[in-house]
Amino acid sequence: MIKNALIALVFLVGVFLTALPAAKAFHHAAVPAAKGEYTVIIDGYDWGPAVSKVVLSLDETVTSVNHQDYSVSVKRQTECVALPAEQASGDRRVVYAYVSDDKGNVSSEGKHVTLVLEVAPNQPLSSPIQYSRNEKCRGNNWLDYQISITHNSSKQTWNKEADRVIPLIDRFDLSGKYKHEDITMAYASFSPESGSGKLPLIIWLHGGGEGGTDPSIPLIANRAANYASDEIQALFGGAYVLSPQSPTYWMDNGEGSMTSGQTNDVYNEALMALIQKYVAENPKIDQDRIYLGGCSNGGYMTLKLLLLHPDYFAAAFPSALAYHSQYISDEQIESIKNIPIWFVHSKDDSTTVAKETVIPVYERLKSAGAEKVHLSLYDHVVDITGFFGGEDYHYPGHWSWIYSHANECRKDADGSLVKLDGRPTTIMEWMAAQKK
């Protein structure tokens, strides 16, 4: 099992020693007077977001820094729920430090120092969000995350947040609002800087814990912002990304409970209207290359929109599908059998049980003659980085979206490699090649 302190230390130090030039790890002759301000850097990981770095503002120029000179403590609180004491406050481990600019970029000298903090999937003190489900709140919400940094010898402190950097999310426009009849939806969008001519659109639909009015939550809660990463963008030659946010949850039947397909939901009409409006307002979008995906609740809505609009989307990539096969007619299966779909699921998913959802849907599509339908069905959802236990570390089985966000899906249900033009491919490379 995971030895998180040691493994996370090796992971973080290894990453930064590879990415940064050699840093002189010795003590300052004198510590410059500080303004007491810091910048928080939040990175997205497979398991969710973590405060991974903190940038300290100094009054004087420095050329070196030693991470052992600093101590970091945090307080986490929210009006949504009373956190257990061990999750509400405590110390964060500083594993590396370097001289930087005010955004955490490495510099040979400067008036800022960046401290790299240990992160791991089972270290809640590192997370700036919290899931809760009660009368006050439902789903993930940002915390009041307070940091106090102390220089151990001088006792100088930094305890005032001046800025917050969230690298991939900062590429998105988070100001989107759309009203359809009595429903108002927030949405985030990304417009590619590279690429010529018409460009595809990737639409991501969040899970049940990311509804609300803050579109940054669906992007960070399970690393969906990765569709704007350089690696995935390169596969598409540049792609627009649209991430709508349900006010509650996509499977809301309007009566206070969820539908699994047996009754209608209240959002599919407004959502489709939003998609069509966004496409109309961005004429560079190739309407023959619109791709739709989502996890859990979003997997349900992905299939729902395919059933309602089978001629609109070029391909789909649902994960942890929450739509029950028993509520899909044979006529509906026939209507979507020619849509390229790559399902992603885990056998140990106890929330959206595979034998009730994705397995029969996949088998029915194949029996109907579907030629471009695939299913990556995993035994477990594991640590794909290898830094936190690898195959021996199991996330909840419901989290199969980890594989699609990271572009790790390669195999079909029978264990064979999915191929594109005769060679093995990945889910995103495959999808980029699909066209109506």
Side-chain angles (χ1 to χ4, degrees):
M1 295 301 290
I2 184 172
K3 301 180 180 64
N4 36 290
L6 177 60
I7 294 172
L9 177 62
V10 172
F11 167 55
L12 287 167
V13 173
V15 168
F16 278 89
L17 288 178
T18 301
L20 303 176
K24 298 178 181 178
F26 51 80
H27 292 255
H28 305 314
V31 179
K35 299 175 182 178
E37 294 183 343
Y38 62 84
T39 292
V40 172
I41 298 180
I42 299 171
D43 281 310
Y45 299 90
D46 292 332
W47 68 86
V51 176
S52 58
K53 307 179 197 73
V54 58
V55 184
L56 310 183
S57 179
L58 311 177
D59 279 340
E60 296 180 8
T61 299
V62 295
T63 59
S64 62
V65 60
N66 187 341
H67 73 279
Q68 294 178 337
D69 286 345
Y70 297 89
S71 297
V72 176
S73 62
V74 302
K75 290 183 178 180
R76 303 166 73 246
Q77 56 186 358
T78 172
E79 295 180 353
C80 293
V81 64
L83 298 174
E86 67 275 11
Q87 297 183 19
S89 63
D91 295 330
R92 296 286 308 276
R93 185 192 297 268
V94 183
V95 297
Y96 191 67
Y98 58 94
V99 180
S100 70
D101 65 12
D102 61 341
K103 301 298 183 184
N105 300 306
V106 68
S107 178
S108 59
E109 63 177 36
K111 291 187 175 182
H112 297 86
V113 164
T114 294
L115 307 182
V116 182
L117 307 178
E118 181 186 53
V119 300
N122 57 354
Q123 291 185 4
L125 280 178
S126 68
S127 178
I129 67 172
Q130 180 68 35
Y131 181 86
S132 57
R133 189 170 181 176
N134 51 46
E135 293 181 356
K136 292 182 179 179
C137 305
R138 187 189 190 283
N140 286 294
N141 290 279
W142 291 103
L143 290 161
D144 178 10
Y145 195 96
Q146 301 173 12
I147 306 176
S148 179
I149 305 100
T150 303
H151 186 271
N152 295 328
S153 60
S154 71
K155 303 305 179 184
Q156 291 179 348
T157 61
W158 293 258
N159 52 25
K160 181 181 179 182
E161 182 178 328
D163 196 11
R164 182 168 288 200
V165 177
I166 315 178
L168 273 182
I169 287 186
D170 288 345
R171 297 185 180 187
F172 283 79
D173 179 355
L174 303 177
S175 64
K177 295 285 184 184
Y178 176 70
K179 186 173 183 179
H180 178 80
E181 297 180 352
D182 60 343
I183 295 173
T184 299
M185 287 186 185
Y187 65 91
S189 60
F190 168 82
S191 299
E193 296 180 358
S194 61
S196 58
K198 294 279 189 176
L199 299 175
L201 168 64
I202 303 170
I203 303 167
W204 174 254
L205 304 179
H206 61 77
E210 288 80 58
T213 58
D214 182 350
S216 67
I217 287 291
L219 293 176
I220 198 68
N222 53 35
R223 208 186 172 199
N226 204 44
Y227 297 111
S229 68
D230 293 341
E231 294 78 9
I232 290 182
Q233 285 288 308
L235 295 174
F236 290 84
Y240 289 83
V241 182
L242 175 64
S243 176
Q245 186 179 27
S246 163
T248 56
Y249 44 95
W250 297 119
M251 297 167 68
D252 190 339
N253 67 1
E255 298 178 357
S257 60
M258 289 190 184
T259 175
S260 299
Q262 70 272 38
T263 59
N264 198 20
D265 60 82
V266 297
Y267 291 124
N268 67 77
E269 183 178 326
L271 174 59
M272 192 64 194
L274 165 58
I275 293 170
Q276 292 171 327
K277 175 179 179 290
Y278 182 79
V279 170
E281 290 177 347
N282 291 275
K284 283 191 65 177
I285 291 176
D286 185 348
Q287 297 190 35
D288 288 332
R289 297 181 69 201
I290 298 176
Y291 309 116
L292 179 65
C295 64
S296 189
N297 255 252
Y300 156 88
M301 186 58 80
T302 296
L303 189 54
K304 177 77 172 186
L305 291 189
L306 295 185
L307 293 170
L308 292 173
H309 309 278
D311 298 324
Y312 191 83
F313 302 98
F317 58 113
S319 53
L321 179 68
Y323 207 122
H324 282 221
S325 176
Q326 64 177 311
Y327 302 125
I328 303 173
S329 69
D330 290 340
E331 290 75 18
Q332 288 177 309
I333 289 290
E334 191 71 23
S335 73
I336 64 171
K337 71 176 185 181
N338 294 322
I339 303 174
I341 307 173
W342 192 322
F343 295 99
V344 183
H345 216 101
S346 182
K347 295 177 184 177
D348 63 346
D349 186 339
S350 60
T351 303
T352 55
V353 179
K355 67 180 182 181
E356 298 173 352
T357 57
V358 71
I359 290 176
V361 171
Y362 170 78
E363 290 177 346
R364 292 173 67 191
L365 284 167
K366 297 297 284 187
S367 296
E371 297 180 354
K372 290 188 175 182
V373 174
H374 306 290
L375 166 59
S376 289
L377 186 60
Y378 297 88
D379 291 330
H380 308 283
V381 182
V382 304
D383 164 35
I384 59 177
T385 69
F387 293 117
F388 304 105
E391 293 286 337
D392 293 329
Y393 187 88
H394 295 178
Y395 293 108
H398 190 48
W399 293 10
S400 55
W401 50 80
I402 284 176
Y403 294 108
S404 59
H405 290 340
N407 193 29
E408 285 292 319
C409 305
R410 292 178 171 84
K411 294 183 179 181
D412 213 331
D414 61 359
S416 64
L417 291 170
V418 177
K419 294 185 177 180
L420 181 66
D421 298 329
R423 60 180 179 79
T425 188
T426 63
I427 187 170
M428 289 296 122
E429 184 183 25
W430 171 87
M431 195 168 67
Q434 307 307 316
K435 188 173 184 178
K436 286 201 301 181

